[in-house]
Amino acid sequence: MKNIHITMLFALLAHFAFAQNSLNGTIKDKENQEPLEQVSIYFPQLEKGTVTNADGYYEINNLPTGKFKIVVSYIGYQTYSQTLEILNKSTKLSLELTTSAIEMEEVIVSTPFHKLQRENVMKVERSSIKELQNAGAINLAEGLTNIPGVESVSTGVGIGKPVIRGLSSNRVLTYTQGIRLENQQFGDEHGLGISDAGIESVEVIKGPASLLYGSDALGGVLYLNPEKFANINEVDGDINLNYFSNSQGINGNAGIKASSDKLKFLARFGGSSHVDYKTGSDERVTNSRFNEKDLKTGLAYQMSHFKTEVRYNYNNSELGIPEEIGEQSTDRNAIEPFQNITSHILSSKSNIYFNNSSLQVILGLTNNNRQEFEDHHHEEEGEEHEEGEDHEEEEEGEDHEGEEAALDMKLQTLSYNIQYNLAKIGAVETIVGVQGMNQTNKNYGEEVLIPDATTNDIGVLATSHIHFNKSDIQLGIRFDRRTIDGEENGIIGDEGYIAALKRSYNSFNLAAGYKIDLSKNIISRLNVASGFRAPNLAELTSNGSHEGTNRYEIGNENLDNERNVQTDLSLEFQNEHFEFYINGFYNSISDYIYLEPNGTTVDGDAVFLYQQQDANLYGGEAGLHYHPHPLDWLHMESNFSIVNGDLKNGGNLPLIPANNWTNTLRFELAKVNENLYNGYGFITLKSYFAQTRVSDFEMPTSAYSLLNLGFGATVAISNQPIEIKLSANNILDKEYISHLSRLKSDGIRNIGRNINLGVSIPL
């Protein structure tokens, strides 16, 4: 028996060592039979690919045996997507691509089966970071607002938190490097906490994604795809520089990546620095300045049946918390109050490919240190004096070394995600998995916002995709359990006392989706999914003033799970020159957790209590895209987003975005001449309607419109390509206040005209 085991082991090792297959072929234009250069050939499941050379030829080596999805894409041509069976040591695939004015399709990574958008049962919005940057966004949170149905709760321009169809904070889960991003995201004034440098694209799941990601994905998922490694036997590098006129902002990053046949490496370092921004009335908002440093690096090793990669991200941000329009300054160092946030994100992803099945293991370790430095309100009376106050403020802006943070929280999260993709049976693909995390929060400052606590999650899931001739069905089931153990803090009876906490939450969720090709050009999708969210520590245990919000919050340890069921229905029409879509949703939430004032105050701060009540959100998005023939370089786009949120008692939910309508006219020119190509230009009018459906402690917001424009191109100078872009947002210098601005209650306006000049140099 022992000899049999040894024989089987050597046979398995031989299979992995020698079953190395290859794929090669040529890609041509179907009309003129000319070879196409730089066509992307990519296996999404294997995360492996290459591009064609000047003769249209490509070759990919070290491929495992089995059936894998292959995607062939090139700008200006229809994307090819099929399942390819790799059986022989040398497989050939040559294609002729058909021209198309429709934008090149990309593979969706945030859903489990890695399909093109038109093949997905679940509708997912995808945008490249480059597209968001070309629109003149100062940071990632602002750029996301260009995606229909996505807005941002902002504190100035440095702090922004995504809102998906009216839900935010712990109801929207952010994924980066394939793991959940945990950074005390429960607070409105806590930003996204990640730089767009080294991020290739963003995918947005609008609606319950608890089936795929567990708790905190009740409202949706923001999935950030890191930049890919270089193609085999290539070395790439680039330098990117940006200047923003309004905040005198400087933003830059530089990266390098190299790949051999098996080993891959990349590194990118970036940073930004901004002074206080100016409103449309030419006033600088005091202490809205911010600074950021960011490092992303990765190492990967790939064989035919095995791939593993490790990525690391270091980010440090110093974020001023604006409270007034005071001293007009262009100092770049924050003054109190401000946040200093440091994050370390370490992840590993390993894939083993068997014959027609695969195993993926993703592990993550994140460390987030959130420090908040406040005004010296704790100093004894008489210690402060008004004389020299401005000078003292300037000194604070220059040096905070040695000063202790009022709030100092360290959050450590160990996460795991193990998924097995079973061998395909007929038209059925199935994935089973287990996910979870262990999380600890520790306090080191004089103030305690949430207690020292340990949170444990575990979830098991199964999901299947069934493909028919003109339709697809996706089904899923999942069970989760979360336990929270919080330590006692303070003395019973004293202000700010937090009792010990020990709670557990269970949830069982289902999801079902159906996609049908009604005709060659019309697709319809129907998805029904449930989701859940366990209460966070702030909601369960708060007992004190929440700095930056001017309110005294009291938690409720008896809060139950939030649970929801959302129905999504979409209809899409697309031909060579015209696209139209309409998406509608209805989201029913049980035991929605919200804050409500009780009419009392503590030390001048209004007291807010955490309550629960059933709620409903409903609305949708509609849009069209027209590129008339023969002017395929001209594009006319329009999209409209609407969302309403109601409490069962007839009140309105807070932080519901105003309805908005965006109209864009843009052009794209692939090539003007040998030294000028990839040209583009746009002019956009984004109109926000008045928001009068507000909660009891919100103020209504007036309507406003913003005019933006920009253009860019790649210029070849002595054979060195240089990408240049210029954009202007709020070009009319409009004075306005966003409904989702946390500075609205102080009457502080949003950013005025902002001109962005950017240069990118590939090396």
Side-chain angles (χ1 to χ4, degrees), residues 277-344:
Y277 79 85
K278 288 194 297 185
T279 67
S281 55
D282 208 34
E283 296 177 306
R284 292 199 180 274
V285 178
T286 306
N287 204 28
S288 59
R289 62 202 71 170
F290 63 98
N291 301 282
E292 182 179 45
K293 297 185 289 288
D294 188 81
L295 169 67
K296 292 183 176 74
T297 186
L299 183 67
Y301 182 77
Q302 186 166 17
M303 299 173 63
S304 61
H305 285 77
F306 176 73
K307 176 183 183 295
T308 186
E309 69 176 54
V310 177
R311 292 182 185 259
Y312 170 72
N313 179 203
Y314 164 82
N315 184 276
N316 174 258
S317 299
E318 185 183 71
L319 305 165
I321 301 178
E323 297 179 323
E324 62 177 359
I325 295 179
E327 180 185 359
Q328 300 294 286
S329 169
T330 55
D331 193 343
R332 295 182 181 272
N333 296 313
I335 58 177
E336 294 175 344
F338 73 94
Q339 302 176 357
N340 189 287
I341 304 169
T342 302
S343 294
H344 301 270

Side-chain angles (χ1 to χ4, degrees), residues 80-126:
Y80 173 88
S81 171
Q82 291 294 334
T83 297
L84 183 67
E85 187 170 14
I86 306 294
L87 288 175
N88 305 315
K89 289 200 171 183
S90 180
T91 302
K92 293 188 178 296
L93 177 67
S94 295
L95 298 171
E96 297 176 355
L97 299 185
T98 303
T99 58
S100 173
I102 302 296
E103 272 77 2
M104 184 175 69
E105 288 189 274
E106 299 286 350
V107 175
I108 300 300
V109 179
S110 56
T111 52
F113 298 102
H114 291 187
K115 297 181 180 294
L116 296 179
Q117 180 60 279
R118 71 168 184 263
E119 302 168 335
N120 255 341
V121 174
M122 182 184 296
K123 176 71 173 178
V124 179
E125 296 283 353
R126 183 193 181 279

Side-chain angles (χ1 to χ4, degrees), residues 32 108 134 143 198 215 262 265 275 294 339 383 421 437 444 449 466 499 536 560 606 617 650 661 665 685 700:
N32 57 29
I108 300 300
N134 287 346
S215 180
K262 296 181 179 179
F265 168 79
V275 307
D294 188 81
Q339 302 176 357
E383 265 190 347
N421 194 329
M437 72 172 185
Y444 298 90
L449 184 62
I466 308 168
N536 61 49
D560 292 325
L617 293 101
W661 185 21
L665 181 67
L685 180 66

Side-chain angles (χ1 to χ4, degrees), residues 34 51 78 93 97 291 441 445 488 497 537 576 677 750:
E34 291 291 326
V51 295
Q78 184 174 336
L93 177 67
L97 299 185
N291 301 282
N441 183 72
E488 182 183 43
Y497 170 75
L537 283 170
E576 188 177 359
Y677 48 95
N750 288 71

Side-chain angles (χ1 to χ4, degrees), residues 118-121 468-473 513-526 569-572:
R118 71 168 184 263
E119 302 168 335
N120 255 341
V121 174
F468 299 101
N469 186 30
K470 292 187 177 182
S471 62
D472 294 83
I473 295 176
Y514 179 65
K515 178 188 79 75
I516 181 170
D517 298 332
L518 297 174
S519 70
K520 180 182 178 181
N521 304 111
I522 302 176
I523 295 175
S524 181
R525 293 180 174 93
L526 174 65
L569 179 62
S570 69
L571 185 68
E572 303 164 36

Side-chain angles (χ1 to χ4, degrees), residues 128 133 142 272 370 399 433 490 510 515:
S128 71
Q133 291 172 337
E142 181 186 344
S272 63
R370 179 177 296 275
D399 186 13
L510 299 169
K515 178 188 79 75

Side-chain angles (χ1 to χ4, degrees), residues 516-706:
I516 181 170
D517 298 332
L518 297 174
S519 70
K520 180 182 178 181
N521 304 111
I522 302 176
I523 295 175
S524 181
R525 293 180 174 93
L526 174 65
N527 284 273
V528 180
S530 65
F532 86 105
R533 180 181 75 89
N536 61 49
L537 283 170
E539 294 163 339
L540 292 167
T541 64
S542 287
N543 189 12
S545 294
H546 193 162
E547 299 298 333
T549 63
N550 299 319
R551 62 185 180 229
Y552 190 101
E553 297 181 4
I554 299 178
N556 182 351
E557 66 176 11
N558 297 314
L559 294 173
D560 292 325
N561 272 340
E562 287 184 338
R563 303 173 306 281
N564 76 327
V565 176
Q566 179 166 310
T567 301
D568 288 88
L569 179 62
S570 69
L571 185 68
E572 303 164 36
F573 173 84
Q574 177 179 300
N575 63 22
E576 188 177 359
H577 297 285
F578 183 77
E579 298 174 72
F580 171 80
Y581 69 87
I582 182 167
N583 306 320
F585 75 94
Y586 188 88
N587 190 359
S588 177
I589 305 178
S590 301
D591 295 321
Y592 182 90
I593 300 171
Y594 64 101
L595 276 170
E596 183 175 72
N598 68 354
T600 65
T601 61
V602 174
D603 296 332
D605 290 335
V607 175
F608 282 73
L609 307 178
Y610 281 101
Q611 308 281 7
Q612 284 191 296
Q613 186 180 150
D614 293 350
N616 297 304
L617 293 101
Y618 50 94
E621 304 87 35
L624 61 86
H625 179 187
Y626 178 54
H627 26 87
H629 182 74
L631 307 178
D632 292 338
W633 51 269
L634 183 64
H635 300 260
M636 290 172 277
E637 301 171 342
S638 180
N639 63 73
F640 178 77
S641 300
I642 180 173
V643 59
N644 293 297
D646 301 327
L647 287 168
K648 186 178 180 180
N649 68 3
N652 297 306
L653 291 178
L655 297 176
I656 298 298
N659 301 334
N660 62 83
W661 185 21
T662 303
N663 292 280
T664 299
L665 181 67
R666 64 183 174 91
F667 69 84
E668 293 179 349
L669 298 174
K671 188 174 183 180
V672 178
N673 55 48
E674 293 296 329
N675 297 315
L676 184 64
Y677 48 95
N678 293 337
Y680 71 89
F682 67 87
I683 180 167
T684 297
L685 180 66
K686 189 162 188 175
S687 300
Y688 286 86
F689 295 75
Q691 179 58 290
T692 57
R693 295 169 57 93
V694 297
S695 68
D696 293 339
F697 58 94
E698 282 186 307
M699 298 183 299
T701 308
S702 300
Y704 60 91
S705 295
L706 302 177

